Amino acid sequence: MAFPPEFLRELEDRSRIEEIAESYVRLRRAGKNLVGLCPFHSEKTPSFNVYPGNNSFYCFGCGKGGGVINFVMDIERLDFLEAVKWLAQRAGMSMPEEGADDSMSKLRMRILEINRESGRFFYKTLISPEGEPGLSYLKGRGLDPGTIKHFGLGYAPESGFGLVNHLRKLGYTKEELLQSDMVRTSKKGNLYDRYRGRVMFPIFDLRGNVTAFGGRILTDEKPKYINTSDTPVYHKSSGLFAMNLAKNSESRQLILAEGYMDVIALHRAGFTNAIASLGTSLTEEQARIMKRYADEVVICYDSDDAGQRATQRAIPILKAAGLRVKVITVPGGKDPDEFMKNYGKDGPIRFRQLLEKGGTDVEYRLQKLRDQFDLDTDEGRVRYLSEATRTVIAKLRNPMEQEVYAGRVAQEAGVDKDRVLETVERLSKQERRREDRELKRGQMSVKLAPAPGKDRRQEGRIRAQVAQRGIIAYLFRHQDRAEVFLKHCPPEKFITPEYRRVYTAILGRMIQDTVTLSSLGETLTGEEAGCLSGILAAAQDAPPNERDVKEYLRALEEEAGREGTEEWSRTASTEDINKYFENLRKKKA
């Protein structure tokens, strides 16, 4: 039975692997992951790892791994269908009926049509006499007709039944309307408009489909904004306002603002790379989407306490996705919208100056630490130096960065720079030792099967294996590039049969839809799921980039043409692979 992607996505959201695994394994925290003794083989040293970030597990001892569905399959000895039923029952979800995939696909199409028609209805209402309150509000915020049309803004009438009546006349069923979240049901069972008396902001996906709406009330009534809940076509964790426009900007930089009006104001001022995260806390999924289109994100949240807390939360999420981060604070406690209004024609120039002067995330974090301590006192200076070196500077990878910021905090605290650098070096060594331990344990250490006979091309085989696994790891993090990989790196270029099967499976699924480890549970065998999980686990802290992929492709081309490489098994040992990486590091040094 093929399950609808939406069903599996919701099942995975409701089935956190750390919660399920803890019923079978005693886990302890290890950074952002969890570790414990593997439930699938006997061991004295923990090698079983749980990764909450992508809802997966992997054992570096026996090679078992995969998504949460794979875990249930292995631990309860169930097949894929039975494991899905087990999780669905636990999550309180109904199993889809046979043929649900097709019906879900049709429902998604109908909901997208409903959203499109709703957007048109809201816009027509806005420019009609009934929409005068909304139009007056938008004009009062400085928006011209061109901007209103460009962003597809509209107005939901206060009557509460205008949209329902319009959509029912177009033939949409009650169930379709409820699934779209555009309408709600009264206690008497009657349908009514969810949005009433609100200015409407449509939210588009990257293909230009209207997937959701945000509505702002024009009175003091609370809540000020309401947004579409999760539907078969929309997930709040991945939604980004104006990303459909920003992705087309020529810049590899994105400006992350807080609200709709901030983004619109920035776009009007020429900063078409501005987006917003729809009022929710930034998610890893949103950061991964940003990474597809940018190398740097400038956080421009409000300067109030809530905005600054959101900034602190967003920085590590963005950096974990491989993005450079800058932070700017609009002076005077203003947001970008107010800033542009206050400065009029000079607004774009002054905002550009803010961008150019904006500090890095390191400078921002140091500033926040300074604000916590009184540097006029000895105690304050000591505590500031301790926190700055431990939590910020020692974690930097670039020695020159460390020296620059060590000099800065030394000057601020009135101490010798060399003393600060000594502390930083000591803490950095501790951090590197910790990372090296994790790297040696996890670096490309998928369980490799022994092979008979002497390997005449061990170096080449290791190089090719690293290349194949690197390509798989990169593709899984950049699924929107599946078609590019199909064209430039078809599965037949893979030398190792096991990796070729994994690559073929994920590539084919990614061209159709976004995949997760759990959604591949029906496609991959247990061994293949473990192989993929191990590859992703090894690449977690140092994911390959585009430059790495070019090297991987070149390595595959070179090794594929050599004698005896047609059908390799995974024959290299973990020790051999570690030696290979050590040689690479020496060559680069």
Side-chain angles (χ1 to χ4, degrees), residues 46-57:
S47 58
F48 178 78
N49 287 250
V50 171
Y51 304 97
N54 63 3
N55 218 26
S56 71
F57 75 99

Side-chain angles (χ1 to χ4, degrees), residues 275-316:
I275 60 173
S277 54
L278 306 175
T280 59
S281 295
L282 191 71
T283 67
E284 293 180 3
E285 193 172 353
Q286 288 169 327
R288 286 196 294 269
I289 292 172
M290 292 183 216
K291 179 58 181 171
R292 297 182 196 172
Y293 303 100
D295 301 312
E296 180 178 82
V297 171
V298 180
I299 302 175
C300 185
Y301 285 166
D302 293 353
S303 55
D304 59 14
D305 289 342
Q308 295 309 296
R309 286 195 299 271
T311 298
Q312 295 273 28
R313 288 194 300 269
I315 288 172

Side-chain angles (χ1 to χ4, degrees), residues 129-155:
E130 192 175 11
E132 195 279 330
L135 190 60
S136 177
Y137 169 80
L138 293 174
K139 286 182 177 178
R141 298 293 297 264
L143 272 59
D144 58 87
T147 300
I148 291 171
K149 191 169 185 179
H150 181 67
F151 284 92
L153 308 184
Y155 181 71

Side-chain angles (χ1 to χ4, degrees), residues 296-529:
E296 180 178 82
V297 171
V298 180
I299 302 175
C300 185
Y301 285 166
D302 293 353
S303 55
D304 59 14
D305 289 342
Q308 295 309 296
R309 286 195 299 271
T311 298
Q312 295 273 28
R313 288 194 300 269
I315 288 172
I317 294 173
L318 294 169
K319 289 181 74 69
L323 289 154
R324 295 192 306 272
V325 181
K326 289 176 66 175
V327 182
I328 61 173
T329 302
V330 178
K334 305 295 183 183
D335 56 37
D337 183 31
E338 292 176 294
F339 182 85
M340 293 300 177
K341 284 179 185 173
N342 289 347
Y343 287 106
K345 292 181 180 180
D346 292 336
I349 297 173
R350 288 179 175 270
F351 192 81
R352 177 70 63 188
Q353 291 171 344
L354 281 180
L355 286 176
E356 292 170 354
K357 294 177 181 177
T360 65
D361 64 287
V362 178
E363 291 168 329
Y364 175 81
R365 284 181 287 165
L366 289 176
Q367 177 62 54
K368 287 300 171 185
L369 283 177
R370 278 195 296 274
D371 293 343
Q372 294 178 31
F373 304 109
D374 183 0
L375 300 191
D376 291 331
T377 66
D378 291 341
E379 182 187 6
R381 287 192 294 273
V382 170
R383 292 180 64 190
Y384 170 59
L385 282 170
S386 175
E387 287 297 307
T389 52
R390 183 178 64 84
T391 65
V392 181
I393 303 175
K395 294 184 180 295
L396 299 175
R397 299 293 180 270
N398 188 322
M400 294 188 69
E401 268 192 307
Q402 286 187 335
E403 184 163 351
V404 168
Y405 290 114
R408 186 173 299 183
V409 298
Q411 184 178 19
E412 290 168 343
V415 300
D416 184 55
K417 174 184 173 181
D418 290 339
R419 300 289 80 77
V420 177
L421 281 173
E422 286 175 6
T423 303
V424 169
E425 185 177 1
R426 175 175 55 81
L427 293 172
S428 294
K429 284 181 179 178
Q430 292 176 1
E431 183 72 12
R432 282 196 296 271
R433 282 197 294 269
R434 183 189 66 79
E435 290 178 351
D436 284 345
R437 285 195 298 270
E438 293 183 1
L439 181 64
K440 286 176 182 178
R441 188 177 180 185
Q443 182 69 272
M444 309 302 285
S445 57
V446 174
K447 196 69 174 178
L448 305 172
K454 187 176 180 181
D455 192 343
R456 292 177 298 136
R457 292 195 171 276
Q458 189 73 334
E459 174 78 8
R461 294 192 180 194
I462 297 171
R463 186 169 178 243
Q465 288 179 43
V466 169
Q468 292 169 106
R469 292 161 66 178
I471 289 170
I472 290 171
Y474 180 87
L475 177 61
F476 207 87
R477 292 177 67 93
H478 301 83
Q479 299 190 23
D480 59 311
R481 306 200 66 184
E483 292 188 6
V484 175
F485 273 79
L486 180 62
K487 179 180 178 181
H488 296 288
C489 185
E492 51 266 28
K493 284 196 175 185
F494 270 54
I495 299 167
T496 309
E498 294 91 338
Y499 296 145
R500 186 190 305 140
R501 288 197 299 270
V502 171
Y503 180 70
T504 301
I506 66 173
L507 188 63
R509 290 286 297 271
M510 285 174 183
I511 289 174
Q512 302 172 32
D513 197 2
T514 302
V515 302
T516 63
L517 277 165
S518 286
S519 69
L520 290 166
E522 194 174 20
T523 305
L524 301 179
T525 66
E527 183 182 0
E528 290 164 353

Side-chain angles (χ1 to χ4, degrees), residues 65 94 118 255 438 454 479 581:
S94 300
S118 298
I255 302 171
E438 293 183 1
K454 187 176 180 181
Q479 299 190 23
F581 276 106

Side-chain angles (χ1 to χ4, degrees), residues 34-99:
L34 300 123
V35 298
L37 295 173
C38 181
F40 304 117
H41 81 286
S42 178
E43 63 176 4
K44 295 182 179 179
T45 303
S47 58
F48 178 78
N49 287 250
V50 171
Y51 304 97
N54 63 3
N55 218 26
S56 71
F57 75 99
Y58 182 70
C59 176
F60 289 99
C62 66
K64 279 196 179 290
V68 65
I69 297 176
N70 295 101
F71 180 80
V72 172
M73 290 170 67
D74 290 334
I75 201 75
E76 293 288 339
R77 303 193 179 199
L78 303 174
D79 63 22
F80 182 78
L81 177 60
E82 291 171 332
V84 169
K85 288 180 178 178
W86 190 95
L87 286 169
Q89 183 177 15
R90 178 184 179 277
M93 293 175 60
S94 300
M95 290 285 288
E97 300 294 332
E98 289 287 349

